[in-house]
Structures are given as C-alpha cells and as structure tokens.
Amino acid sequence: MQIGMIGLGKMGGNMAERLRRGGHDVVGYDRDPSISDVANLKELVDRLQAPRAVWVMVPAGAPTQATVEQLGELLSPGDIVIDGGNSHYLDDRKHGEELGARGVGFVDCGVSGGVWGLQNGYALMTGGSDEDVRRLMPIFETLKPEEGGFVHAGGIGAGHFAKMVHNGIEYGMMQAFAEGWELLEASDVVTDVAGSFKSWRNGTVIRSWLLDLLVRALDEDPGLAELKGYAQDSGEGRWTVQAAVDHAVPLPVITAALYARFASRQDDSPAMKVVAALRNQFGGHAVTAKEGQVAKGADAPGADVVPPAEADR
C-alpha cells in the first residue's frame, strides 16, 4: 500500500522504515530536507496515487492543526488523513468535521512503542469509521506487533482517548516504582537496591517492561547520580485527569503521579530520577543531567533489554 508520512522524527522515521520493510511504498516529508523525500506537502500529495492516505506524525496542538488545514486544501474527496501524534480527542473531532466537509476521511491513532517500535512493533489505538479503518488495515497490520497490539476503539477521537488513558496509567506505574526505589535507598535495611529490583524481574506480580528498563537504567548509572530529579509531562496526564473530572471518575493514583511531576520541578527529587530515567529509556525523552555530568540515553551501547510487543511510548 502507498502512504505519505509527515514527520520523520524518532517515531515517524522508524514507523516509515518499518512500513518500507513490510513492502509498502512510503513517501516521507520532514522539515529537515536531509531526510525528506519531497520538498513540501504539495509535492507529497502529488506523489501519491488517489485515493490517498497521509499519516501525520507531528507534535500535537498548533503543528498538527496547521498540517491538517494544509492537507484539507490539497487532498481530494476519498482521501484519508491519519493523526498518529498525541492529539487531544476533542481536537480529533474538530479535524474530522473540517476534513469531512471536504469529503476527506479522518482516523485518529494513538501510537505506543517508543524507540523500540521499529524492532518490536507499535501498539495502535484507532478511532474512526469502520470503512476508513478497514481500508487502512494493511498499514496497521505492518506497524503492529505480530500478536495483538491493535484496537479499533470507536469513532473519531476514541483512539486518542484510549491512548490518553494508557499514558495516565503509565504515570501511576512509573511513580510507584520511583517511590519504591526512593524508600529502599533511604533505608539502612537493604544494602543492594539495584539487586532487589533485578530480583523482581522474574516470578513476581510486578514484573514488567518498565521494571526491566529501570534495571537497565540502574546498570548504566548506579544510584542515578548523573540525573537530576526533574520529570517533564507530555500533557496527556493532564488531559486524563481533566477527563476524570469531566466524567466524575476518581483517579487518585494518576492524579498524584501527575502532581509529583509538578513537584519535581521545584527541587531535585530522588523519586523523579527514576521517572526521568524510565521516560528516557522507553521513549528517548530528554533528561536533565546534573552539572558536569552527561546523562546516558536509551541508545547507549550494551543494551540488553528486549521489550515486549506492547512497549510503552
């Protein structure tokens, strides 16, 4: 199948490569001309055969809005736009209405897989009409892991809503590991903190890919001495908490995890070193190193953790 890919960064670039390896014809566009196949969006649309499919993989908010508006001017009835970024589900509905008025389909797709997705596949949460999703299934089948990892969650907005909740759950899980690490470090009872975490990787009810990544981070930087306890948030945690308020659903764990990230920006929090390290490990997110130190990233040599198919983003 032929598809246009807009945004060839850490996620979009690897997704385009996985699609090419799967036999698809990918025409990529990025603001960086050194990695782009075309000079602009018009050239990308002209290179695609109708009915076209164009995947948008740019930051949520204004960049996605501008891209969708440009595509609305360039595409033809019967074409489809897929938003694979971390857009808000209410924005999806707006984009779907704008494009639908021109006869252009719209599918929102929450994507999870981070820097490991090229090798292991991406978990995909889609929202849109049955017809549009069905037409795009060859693309989804290639991007997803061999087993599972795909859901047509509902109509437009459902994919990003599911991904939003997924990321909220991720906040809570990471915070629990972080707080456990801080308590072990603070006590004089346990002398091998890293070894304790390693022992949990097999046979325990908390074994997980996040635990594997934390062990890897501790192997790279014992005690996480090179990191500052500062953790950014992508915005989806905030949206999850807001949606909980809107639906009167209590989310004490996820809300506390979000507030903990806010607190991390005030002081050098030991627990936030773990959250920062995990975000870097699974998604290649930037970390703040202590002065005079160089923080190791997810691409450090010697990596031996092989994540499962449902890898987090």
Side-chain angles (χ1 to χ4, degrees), residues 19-299:
L19 288 171
R20 289 189 176 109
R21 293 180 184 180
H24 298 281
D25 177 14
V26 181
V27 181
Y29 169 71
D30 193 271
R31 290 182 301 174
D32 181 354
S34 68
I35 59 175
S36 186
D37 298 319
V38 294
N40 51 53
L41 293 187
K42 183 179 185 307
E43 186 177 342
L44 179 139
V45 171
D46 289 344
R47 284 268 299 269
L48 299 175
Q49 298 176 355
R52 305 170 184 85
V54 181
W55 193 301
V56 179
M57 207 68 189
V58 302
T64 294
Q65 178 65 40
T67 303
V68 170
E69 289 177 355
Q70 291 180 62
L71 288 174
E73 297 289 338
L74 295 169
L75 294 174
S76 303
D79 295 343
I80 300 178
V81 172
I82 309 102
D83 178 8
N86 285 330
S87 294
H88 195 279
Y89 71 98
L90 294 179
D91 290 341
D92 293 328
R93 294 175 180 175
K94 175 184 176 183
H95 297 156
E97 290 176 0
E98 292 172 347
L99 292 173
R102 296 174 177 271
V104 176
F106 180 82
V107 170
D108 58 288
C109 184
V111 182
S112 183
V115 296
W116 303 93
L118 173 60
Q119 175 184 348
N120 297 283
Y122 300 88
L124 306 173
M125 293 145 269
T126 62
S129 71
D130 291 342
E131 180 182 355
D132 287 345
V133 172
R134 189 181 306 113
R135 182 174 136 196
L136 295 168
M137 280 310 299
I139 295 297
F140 296 144
E141 288 286 353
T142 300
L143 287 173
K144 76 177 191 65
E146 289 187 12
E147 298 292 333
F150 174 84
V151 63
H152 181 191
I156 291 176
H160 280 147
F161 194 95
K163 178 58 165 50
M164 176 188 73
V165 175
H166 162 282
N167 281 21
I169 293 169
E170 169 197 303
Y171 274 48
M173 293 174 64
M174 290 167 62
Q175 186 65 25
F177 279 124
E179 292 175 4
W181 178 82
E182 182 173 0
L183 179 57
L184 289 174
E185 284 284 342
S187 76
D188 57 2
V189 180
V190 175
T191 57
D192 186 358
V193 175
S196 297
F197 275 92
K198 286 183 179 179
S199 74
W200 298 341
R201 292 177 65 182
N202 295 291
T204 74
V205 296
I206 63 169
R207 61 188 183 273
S208 65
W209 183 51
L210 281 177
L211 178 59
D212 291 342
L213 291 177
L214 177 53
V215 169
R216 179 175 180 235
L218 291 171
D219 285 342
E220 294 174 353
D221 178 11
L224 304 180
E226 297 177 2
L227 292 180
K228 184 178 180 181
Y230 178 104
Q232 190 55 267
D233 69 281
S234 64
E236 291 197 280
R238 303 186 191 203
W239 297 341
T240 305
V241 172
Q242 183 59 57
V245 173
D246 294 341
H247 292 82
V249 175
L251 297 186
V253 172
I254 294 173
T255 302
L258 174 65
Y259 286 175
R261 295 199 183 188
F262 295 161
S264 80
R265 297 160 206 175
Q266 299 171 359
D267 297 299
D268 189 12
S269 165
M272 284 303 109
K273 291 183 178 183
V274 170
V275 174
L278 282 171
R279 293 183 81 243
N280 178 260
Q281 288 288 331
F282 68 67
H285 299 290
V287 295
T288 303
K290 284 192 172 181
E291 186 175 353
Q293 300 284 351
V294 177
K296 296 178 181 178
D299 297 323

